[in-house]
Amino acid sequence: MAAPSLLNWRRVSSFTGPVPRARHGHRAVAIRELMIIFGGGNEGIADELHVYNTVTNQWFLPAVRGDIPPGCAAHGFVCDGTRILVFGGMVEYGRYSNELYELQASRWLWKKVKPHPPSSGLPPCPRLGHSFSLYGNKCYLFGGLANESEDSNNNVPRYLNDFYELELQHGSGVVGWSIPVTKGIVPSPRESHTAVIYCKKDSGSPKMYVFGGMCGARLDDLWQLDLETMSWSKPETKGTVPLPRSLHTASVIGNKMYIFGGWVPHKGENIETSPHDCEWRCTSSFSYLNLDTAEWTTLVSDSQEDKKNSRPRPRAGHCAVAIGTRLYFWSGRDGYKKALNSQVCCKDLWYLDTEKPPAPSQVQLIKATTNSFHVKWDEVPTVEGYLLQLNTDLPHQTASSDSSLAPNLQGVRMDPHRPGSNSTVPNSISDTTNSAKTEHTPMKGTSVKNRPDLKASTDFNAALHPSMATNTSNHNSCVVDMLRKNEGPHTSANIGVLSSCLDLRTVIPETSVSSSVSSAQTMVTQQTIKTESSSTNGAVVKDETSLTTFSTKSEVDDTCALPATKISRVETQATAMSFSKETPSNPVATVKAGERQWCDVGIFKNNTALVSQFYLLPKGKQSISKIGNADVPDYSLLKKQDLVPGTGYRFRVAAINGCGIGPFSKISEFKTCIPGFPGAPSAVRISKVLPLFREEKICFQNVEGIHLSWEPPTSPSGNILEYSAYLAIRTAQIQDNPSQLVFMRIYCGLKTSCIVTAGQLANAHIDYTSRPAIVFRISAKNEKGYGPATQVRWLQERKKHLNRTQVLK
């Protein structure tokens, strides 16, 4: 984490959509890039569900349905995948709840659930200000405040320190409550405390950490519960413990628990002699506890003044949500007017990057021409830009070869929430935006496709050998050996064979054609096709040429169909050369003697770029950031170098956020095209050839074969003489090195389609790089030879391939 003086708070100043009214006692969770807020109070308890998209900077009100819960405040609110659970809270003054509701955010559907009571003992009583924490398939409830009086107008508070476990069913529903038997001294009763669960990486058992709260007086004690042994303990900590507080927030990012805000005792008050502190105030202090070393670190002290409004003002009863390594804070109350007997609520939204962003995925090629590359990489959550660099073996690349230094972009300001702000570099080369944007937010109550359809606290009263398969080519006996040897550039035998491991990452449906270069000067182009595993109305899917984003989590789920066939799930993928060596994690890397220097392509807001030029460092300059005094390099002062046909270039990319520039990705290498060769086939489609009078199943062994079709290259560079299609097959070589695919030619001819038989499919290699898939490659040949190949990954269900021998019996 940055030093206190370097904290780079950002206030989001411009929104779209209906902004929620200010409140306190509300709760928030995150589903990917979405922040979902529910409940809270300010002039009445709020019952709306609000969603804020941190990518598009838009608020919206989803059209919820089902058993919609009443408004509540100081409730339990946890997220398990795309379902959210709400427990308890204040539903009106003096009346608390112990009801449990479930929200399926993929459909915005509410459902009231009734868990079984404990086998011994009573279920949790109605309460507010409790902690409700999720780990695995269980929620853990601790403490809170109950009303002893049956009359809601006559509030008799009772602080709780009871502990319950709620077992969840997979996907939806709950099993029931249980009361675990714990060991050790139990924390004192309290409400408006925080509880988080953390488990050390690769070791240790999960532990719940309870901090602070209210029990007549504010508390500053820290408790730990081992969830395996169910043993309570009070860990010894180092560093300065935050002031006693309640209504604060606790958020875990990495191995740190961040504590922000809350009510603290009034300055000068002796906590020990005033057990029932009547004087309180809000704070904007900010600390974290390293959960591995049990050491507290103060980032913003309680005494630090903020005269420039450069960080959130003091508040309590706010909400905090961690998205990636970024913390978002919204609303809360910042004071109390005794004369008016009312509180003052904030309506501001802030965020803070807690650490530099992680390294992005390798740069992947979408399309290559003779003098340009269209590249992209996986998005990194909550970043403000990307620094793209390249180097090459061309001797005239640069005027300086002593060092390779990335610009020091500490604190570079690129506001993703400023409308129309795509790149921080006005003269940046080919900073391309997506031709068609992905819809991240639903409008007018519609649900989000292939996205998340979509923590906080409170003191709240107030891919076998080729001979085994049938083949349409006369050269099958030698194809595999030639593929292994990678003989001769631009031959049908070496299409897309890489000397290093293939990087076959997943692509979401809205992504289009992409390509990569092998060591034999051959490229593999990718294309993603929207399909589904059930037939629809027979409409033909159009070629998806819009660019959006790569993802390792979501694949082809959108719906479309081909006439009179069952549509299979298809995914296409780029193969980029993956070097075993990585770039240094420190972005400021020194070039050794004889190595080439990394040059900037530019800084890009989005995860895609059209590269036709790069910038050269002037003689004597070791870092672009040393030119001028601006945070962002002034590229207008640098000379530009054009890309050259038939030349290999190495790429790497790093993400940038408020803490600076993160580590660089692994290196990818691509080669510009040689003029005269045909482009890659496009618009690849796969459909199943169904067996007659046989039970239909998803697994490929239960079909007669598949129909593979494609469109001619958009740039044939002359007459197309033939096409070749290849299938990745099982070999001992792949078992020893799964990343080295071996391909067998399954078609050679003039037609733009072929049938892949069940016998051929039976020898297919199942690639488990991401989701299980069968890999095909298709390339075109003109008078000059074969051009780049299009690679397609046909997605399979993982469970269908667990026992392959059984399926083939």
Side-chain angles (χ1 to χ4, degrees):
M1 182 70 191
S5 60
L6 297 177
L7 289 180
N8 203 348
W9 292 94
R10 308 287 178 87
R11 181 173 180 174
V12 185
S13 56
S14 59
F15 311 98
T16 58
V19 181
R21 60 187 169 99
R23 64 192 65 190
H24 62 98
H26 53 290
R27 296 289 185 264
V29 294
I31 300 180
R32 298 187 189 176
E33 74 270 24
L34 302 182
M35 179 169 70
I36 294 98
I37 295 172
F38 181 69
N42 181 23
E43 299 179 357
I45 294 177
D47 59 359
E48 312 96 354
L49 186 77
H50 290 266
V51 181
Y52 173 69
N53 189 309
T54 60
V55 174
T56 62
N57 193 28
Q58 180 184 34
W59 289 97
F60 65 92
L61 282 161
V64 295
R65 56 195 174 92
D67 306 323
I68 301 174
C72 58
H75 48 287
F77 201 54
V78 297
C79 178
D80 175 30
T82 57
R83 71 168 164 177
I84 296 171
L85 294 170
V86 180
F87 174 76
M90 175 192 282
V91 291
E92 61 182 45
Y93 181 78
R95 189 165 73 88
Y96 311 150
S97 167
N98 64 347
E99 293 180 336
L100 181 67
Y101 289 85
E102 176 188 273
L103 172 69
Q104 289 290 345
S106 57
R107 295 174 288 163
W108 302 118
L109 178 66
W110 282 106
K111 181 174 71 173
K112 187 176 182 179
V113 291
K114 296 182 179 180
H116 294 297
S119 57
S120 60
L122 298 173
C125 66
R127 68 189 66 202
L128 61 72
H130 49 282
S131 59
F132 196 52
S133 311
L134 173 77
Y135 187 83
N137 69 330
K138 292 179 180 178
C139 288
Y140 298 93
L141 170 68
F142 176 74
L145 182 70
N147 185 359
E148 287 284 76
S149 174
E150 294 182 1
D151 181 6
S152 61
N153 294 318
N154 181 26
N155 195 18
V156 180
R158 176 168 64 98
Y159 295 99
L160 306 170
N161 66 343
D162 50 357
F163 178 63
Y164 286 86
E165 186 179 84
L166 176 65
E167 185 178 352
L168 310 181
Q169 291 178 346
H170 178 71
S172 178
V174 297
V175 178
W177 294 105
S178 62
I179 305 175
V181 176
T182 61
K183 307 170 188 175
I185 300 173
V186 179
S188 60
R190 67 193 63 207
E191 57 118 345
S192 299
H193 56 283
T194 55
V196 302
I197 299 178
Y198 169 74
C199 186
K200 283 187 179 181
K201 254 187 177 181
D202 306 322
S203 65
S205 59
K207 294 177 176 62
M208 183 171 79
Y209 294 87
V210 174
F211 176 73
M214 171 74 173
C215 184
R218 271 82 198 172
L219 305 169
D220 64 351
D221 50 350
L222 176 72
W223 294 84
Q224 172 185 289
L225 175 65
D226 189 310
L227 295 178
E228 285 189 358
T229 64
M230 284 296 167
S231 301
W232 285 103
S233 62
K234 204 170 180 181
E236 293 184 7
T237 61
K238 296 170 284 187
T240 303
V241 179
L243 286 174
R245 66 191 62 211
S246 60
L247 284 165
H248 55 286
T249 54
S251 309
V252 174
I253 296 179
N255 66 345
K256 299 177 180 67
M257 177 177 73
Y258 292 91
I259 302 293
F260 175 75
W263 286 355
V264 296
H266 199 275
K267 288 180 180 177
E269 183 180 347
N270 189 324
I271 301 168
E272 294 180 358
T273 60
S274 180
H276 297 278
D277 53 306
C278 296
E279 293 296 326
W280 52 264
R281 61 186 175 87
C282 292
T283 181
S284 61
S285 58
F286 187 44
S287 302
Y288 72 77
L289 175 69
N290 186 313
L291 297 171
D292 291 336
T293 64
E295 182 174 5
W296 287 102
T297 299
T298 302
L299 297 171
V300 178
S301 70
D302 193 67
S303 59
Q304 282 180 268
E305 293 185 7
D306 180 28
K307 298 179 180 180
K308 298 180 180 180
N309 296 319
S310 59
R311 66 173 186 264
R313 65 183 188 264
R315 68 192 62 211
H318 53 286
C319 69
V321 159
I323 298 180
T325 57
R326 176 175 290 176
L327 270 174
Y328 282 86
F329 303 92
W330 183 73
S331 201
R333 53 179 164 183
D334 71 343
Y336 192 84
K337 295 182 179 179
K338 289 186 177 179
L340 300 176
N341 193 30
S342 64
Q343 64 256 347
V344 178
C345 286
C346 314
K347 200 178 181 177
D348 49 352
L349 174 64
W350 293 78
Y351 70 85
L352 176 71
D353 289 310
T354 60
E355 58 189 60
K356 291 181 180 181
S361 66
Q362 283 180 286
V363 177
Q364 303 184 40
L365 193 61
I366 298 171
K367 187 177 181 180
T369 68
T370 55
N371 57 7
S372 70
F373 297 112
H374 198 168
V375 297
K376 72 183 307 173
W377 49 91
D378 290 355
E379 284 183 329
V380 177
T382 64
V383 299
E384 299 177 6
Y386 301 91
L387 171 64
L388 180 64
Q389 293 186 332
L390 65 72
N391 73 25
T392 183
D393 295 328
L394 289 177
H396 55 281
Q397 165 185 334
T398 176
S400 173
S401 60
D402 295 332
S403 65
S404 172
L405 300 176
N408 181 3
L409 298 175
Q410 177 75 39
V412 58
R413 301 191 66 90
M414 287 176 280
D415 189 355
H417 304 290
R418 185 182 304 136
S421 174
N422 183 59
S423 173
T424 58
V425 187
N427 298 321
S428 177
I429 300 173
S430 55
D431 185 356
T432 60
T433 56
N434 297 339
S435 59
K437 300 291 182 182
T438 304
E439 290 184 3
H440 294 288
T441 56
M443 300 298 292
K444 299 182 180 179
T446 59
S447 62
V448 183
K449 290 185 178 180
N450 294 327
R451 290 286 181 188
D453 295 300
L454 304 174
K455 278 165 174 168
S457 51
T458 156
D459 184 352
F460 194 95
N461 220 357
L464 290 171
H465 194 275
S467 61
M468 297 177 63
T470 306
N471 202 308
T472 59
S473 170
N474 293 327
H475 306 288
N476 293 343
S477 60
C478 64
V479 167
V480 172
D481 289 335
M482 293 173 70
L483 282 167
R484 289 179 181 143
K485 297 174 183 177
N486 199 22
E487 297 173 353
H490 297 289
T491 66
S492 59
N494 75 345
I495 295 298
V497 178
L498 307 184
S499 61
S500 53
C501 71
L502 301 175
D503 182 13
L504 303 174
R505 301 179 188 274
T506 33
V507 186
I508 69 168
E510 294 89 348
T511 309
S512 73
V513 180
S514 175
S515 61
S516 172
V517 181
S518 74
S519 59
Q521 303 180 3
T522 306
M523 295 183 301
V524 180
T525 300
Q526 79 170 13
Q527 178 184 17
T528 298
I529 308 162
K530 294 183 179 180
T531 63
E532 65 171 0
S533 55
S534 60
S535 59
T536 54
N537 61 2
V540 179
V541 63
K542 66 178 181 179
D543 182 15
E544 294 293 326
T545 56
S546 61
L547 298 172
T548 52
T549 177
F550 284 76
S551 169
T552 58
K553 293 183 180 178
S554 73
E555 298 180 284
V556 183
D557 292 318
D558 273 1
T559 60
C560 68
L562 297 178
T565 59
K566 191 77 172 178
I567 305 305
S568 59
R569 303 188 65 186
V570 179
E571 176 205 40
T572 57
Q573 180 59 43
T575 60
M577 292 190 68
S578 301
F579 289 71
S580 58
K581 59 185 178 182
E582 294 188 32
T583 57
S585 58
N586 188 333
V588 181
T590 303
V591 171
K592 298 177 182 178
E595 289 186 358
R596 288 294 172 182
Q597 190 172 18
W598 289 96
C599 294
D600 284 17
V601 176
I603 298 173
F604 302 89
K605 170 104 188 286
N606 298 306
N607 64 323
T608 180
L610 181 60
V611 183
S612 60
Q613 296 174 314
F614 56 92
Y615 293 100
L616 300 177
L617 289 178
K619 276 190 176 180
K621 295 294 181 180
Q622 296 184 346
S623 174
I624 291 178
S625 62
K626 295 184 179 180
I627 301 175
N629 297 318
D631 285 333
V632 178
D634 187 355
Y635 290 106
S636 64
L637 301 178
L638 301 177
K639 291 182 179 181
K640 292 182 285 188
Q641 174 74 51
D642 292 331
L643 301 191
V644 179
T647 303
Y649 294 89
R650 290 170 287 278
F651 285 88
R652 68 181 187 180
V653 65
I656 306 165
N657 65 11
C659 289
I661 183 171
F664 279 97
S665 65
K666 291 182 180 180
I667 298 169
S668 297
E669 184 170 355
F670 314 122
K671 196 169 189 178
T672 48
C673 295
I674 300 174
F677 288 90
S682 62
V684 181
R685 297 173 176 87
I686 295 178
S687 56
K688 294 180 182 178
V689 180
L690 297 179
L692 298 175
F693 310 108
R694 188 181 299 179
E695 183 182 355
E696 180 185 331
K697 296 182 181 179
I698 294 176
C699 191
F700 71 86
Q701 287 91 348
N702 295 297
V703 299
E704 295 293 341
I706 63 168
H707 183 260
L708 186 66
S709 64
W710 57 89
E711 295 292 333
T714 54
S715 302
S717 299
N719 297 323
I720 299 298
L721 303 180
E722 66 182 27
Y723 296 95
S724 284
Y726 298 85
L727 169 68
I729 58 171
R730 299 197 310 276
T731 65
Q733 179 181 347
I734 290 184
Q735 292 175 0
D736 295 337
N737 184 9
S739 62
Q740 182 66 59
L741 298 183
V742 175
F743 287 83
M744 175 182 69
R745 185 157 62 178
I746 55 174
Y747 171 77
C748 181
L750 271 171
K751 291 183 178 180
T752 57
S753 66
C754 68
I755 297 294
V756 185
T757 68
Q760 291 170 328
L761 290 174
N763 296 319
H765 165 68
I766 306 300
D767 176 57
Y768 287 96
T769 306
S770 52
R771 293 183 60 180
I774 296 175
V775 183
F776 297 95
R777 289 181 181 174
I778 307 161
S779 59
K781 180 183 180 182
N782 64 9
E783 292 86 350
K784 200 159 187 177
Y786 273 93
T790 296
Q791 177 163 297
V792 181
R793 302 183 77 242
W794 179 33
L795 297 182
Q796 306 294 311
E797 293 295 335
R798 182 181 294 270
K799 62 182 180 181
K800 300 293 183 180
H801 302 291
L802 294 180
N803 190 347
R804 190 178 191 120
T805 57
Q806 184 177 357
V807 174
L808 294 175
K809 284 180 180 179

